[in-house]
Structure formats: C-alpha cells, structure tokens
Amino acid sequence: MVHKLSNDDVIYSFSRKNAPVLRVNSGDTVSIDTCDCFTDQIQSADQEVAAIDWNRINPATGPVYVEGASAGDLLKVTIDELEIGDQGVMVTGPDLGVMGHRLEEMESKIIPIRNGKAIFNEKLHLPLNPMIGVIGVAPEGEPVSCGTPGAHGGNMDTKHITQGATLYFPVFTEGALFALGDFHAAMGDGEVSVSGIEVPGRATVTLEVVKGFHSKFPVLINNEGVSLLVSAMTLDEAVKVATEEMIDLLLPFTDLSVSEMTMLMSAAGEAQISQVVDPLVTARFFVPQHILEALEIKLFS
C-alpha cells in the first residue's frame, strides 16, 4: 500500500507543534504532491511578482508522523520516484541572491519543460535535474521557516536530493514529523539567483526509523558516495563543520588516526557548495563510494 498526500496539506514552518496530516509505520511508502515554492501563484510572465502573497513561500506538504520514531533516532528517507510538472518559473530582483545589489526590479521567467529539457529560450534547452529543495523533520527547538535550512533539513537546496538518493535525518521529536516541497526541474550549485527552476511535482518516498545510530546533521547517500550537509551563517563555518562531522562519522569504522583520516579527506574528499542565498547557507562534504568500499564502511546498517 502507498499512502497519498495532496498539496492541500502544507506547512510553512517545520515545528514539533504541527499536527500530523498522516500517520505511517516505519517502512511505509508515501506519495506526496507539492506546489512550487510560490504555491503555484506565478503562472504567467505578465504577472507582477512583487504582488504575490510572500507569506505563502516554500510550502512543504505534510507533516507525516512515523510511528516508532523518537528523539535520538534517525529517519531514513529513500526517494523512490520524483516527478515534476510541465512548467517552471524563476525569479530574481533587488536584494535577492548574489546579484541583487545590481538589479532594479523584480523579474520572473516562465520556463516550459518539454522533451526532457527546460526551455530557457530558443537557443538554451537545459538538461533536467529534478530535485527536492525543502525536505526534513521537525527541529529540536523553536519552529523554523520552510525557507531556512538547519540540522533538521529544511531548505537545503542541494542538487543531489533527487530520485535514487537516500537521506538520514536526526530525529528531534516523537514521530519525526516529516515534510517536503520546493521542487526544482534544475538548479546549479549555489542557486545564485535565489531560485532554481521552480516546479510543482510528486515525490514517492519510503520512510524508515533507524535506531542505534546518530548524526547531528543530514546525511545523503547515493551511488556516487556519501555527503554530510551543514547549514550555517557563513560558508566558511558550514564547510568546517561539515568536514569535521564527516571525519567523526567515518573514523569509528576504520583503524586510521585523526591525522590520517584528515589527510585522506584532503586527498579524496570534496568540500562542495549547495546554496548561498538562504537565511543560512548550506555546504556539504562528499566522500566517494570507492573510499567507503576500500574501508569497508557501511553506514547506518
């Protein structure tokens, strides 16, 4: 059985106070419909972007209560399938993104999705990379806007959160209270304009409670390797914390010293940027699969 959630059930902040709209058992699969990050308000390039309701930004469908999930556990989220709509939108403007200091007015761009490409203009047909921008669980303390990332996940805007990836989130409250939204048809590292190609869509995910393991921050595993995602006030801080947390995550599985593991990460690991435009920026530290195989590391199992 696959549970289903419509995009009528949304939150605009992750919070332990949110009432769950669905309760599932560990191991259940859920099909989740989403609006785009503007709650589907922008349907035409003729619309005045400044006039939309900016209180309805980055809705996440949910939350889902996962039976058996308790503080200190991990929530394993496997992205089984990811579907996107046939039209995307991008925006930028004054004080938004990296170039906002040089922009004088809000602008939007409607981007059709056709034949596996995003039609930016007549010459530029961009390859798709369907991905999830907002995904996570209720945070430990006060509510966190869906537009802000953190240790709970949220608006991490990481291009590897896509079909086939598995994420592990630290659980901070009973039931985890999982939600997701803010899909992109494609987005480059940094998300420098403040938007990817924003689209509605549907994600099919399997939710499992993992006990006996812990991580302070979200961990993403795919066929290429493992990434640890950290959001902080500065990119410097995010990179430093992600690097140290990755070393601490892998070290117990090896007979390497801290010095040797640090040298290995410098030789084969990668500090990567996810996004630099949200209230907190997000970096990830990546370790390729061949390193995990050589060290016989199997995380969270």
Side-chain angles (χ1 to χ4, degrees):
M1 175 183 177
V2 178
H3 303 274
K4 295 185 178 181
L5 272 183
S6 79
N7 58 16
D8 293 329
D9 297 307
V10 299
I11 56 174
Y12 291 95
S13 63
F14 286 87
S15 172
R16 61 178 57 216
K17 298 178 181 178
N18 288 332
V21 295
L22 177 68
R23 300 176 78 100
V24 303
N25 294 317
S26 177
D28 283 0
T29 298
V30 188
S31 175
I32 303 174
D33 289 345
T34 69
C35 305
D36 70 19
C37 79
F38 304 109
T39 320
D40 300 339
Q41 294 181 83
I42 304 174
Q43 295 297 317
S44 166
D46 298 329
Q47 288 180 255
E48 184 180 350
V49 180
I52 69 171
D53 184 352
W54 288 91
N55 291 317
R56 297 168 58 203
I57 300 299
N58 280 326
T61 304
V64 178
Y65 186 105
V66 184
E67 301 286 353
S70 300
D73 295 337
L74 293 175
L75 182 67
K76 178 182 178 182
V77 180
T78 303
I79 305 174
D80 301 311
E81 188 174 8
L82 189 57
E83 306 167 72
I84 58 172
D86 58 8
Q87 178 174 283
V89 61
M90 298 191 76
V91 304
T92 196
D95 301 322
L96 295 178
V98 173
M99 297 295 291
H101 62 290
R102 291 176 54 181
L103 304 177
E104 297 181 355
E105 59 184 28
M106 292 289 295
E107 292 188 34
S108 66
K109 186 176 183 65
I110 300 297
I111 300 179
I113 310 298
R114 294 200 301 264
N115 301 320
K117 299 284 186 179
I119 311 304
F120 193 83
N121 60 28
E122 291 183 2
K123 293 183 178 180
L124 293 169
H125 293 194
L126 307 178
L128 300 182
N129 175 41
M131 53 158 288
I132 300 172
V134 172
I135 184 169
V137 298
E140 183 174 19
E142 294 300 310
V144 177
S145 164
C146 288
T148 301
H152 68 292
N155 194 25
M156 297 183 293
D157 283 325
T158 297
K159 68 181 183 182
H160 299 300
I161 302 178
T162 188
Q163 182 171 310
T166 298
L167 294 104
Y168 294 83
F169 293 98
V171 175
F172 299 104
T173 191
E174 295 296 314
L177 299 182
F178 171 80
L180 59 75
D182 182 34
F183 292 4
H184 303 138
M187 190 198 81
D189 278 337
E191 198 188 26
V192 296
S193 83
V194 88
S195 73
I197 301 177
E198 310 291 339
V199 287
R202 174 179 296 159
T204 302
V205 298
T206 299
L207 305 176
E208 301 174 67
V209 178
V210 179
K211 294 185 177 292
F213 297 93
H214 181 67
S215 175
K216 296 178 184 177
F217 298 94
V219 174
L220 184 152
I221 298 176
N222 59 21
N223 291 334
E224 297 179 354
V226 58
S227 299
L228 194 145
L229 286 68
V230 172
S231 300
M233 288 298 297
T234 69
L235 195 55
D236 287 351
E237 181 184 358
V239 168
K240 289 177 181 178
V241 174
T243 303
E244 184 170 3
E245 290 293 331
M246 179 64 85
I247 289 173
D248 286 343
L249 181 65
L250 301 183
L251 198 60
F253 293 90
T254 77
D255 58 2
L256 299 176
S257 68
V258 174
S259 295
E260 288 176 311
M261 179 63 83
T262 302
M263 288 187 280
L264 177 62
M265 293 299 97
S266 190
E270 298 180 20
Q272 301 174 339
I273 295 171
S274 289
Q275 59 79 25
V276 295
V277 295
D278 293 333
L280 298 179
V281 300
T282 305
R284 58 187 187 268
F285 195 88
F286 169 76
V287 177
Q289 181 64 26
H290 69 86
I291 297 295
L292 303 178
E293 292 173 356
L295 294 173
E296 298 182 347
I297 294 175
K298 294 183 179 179
L299 292 171
F300 311 131
S301 63

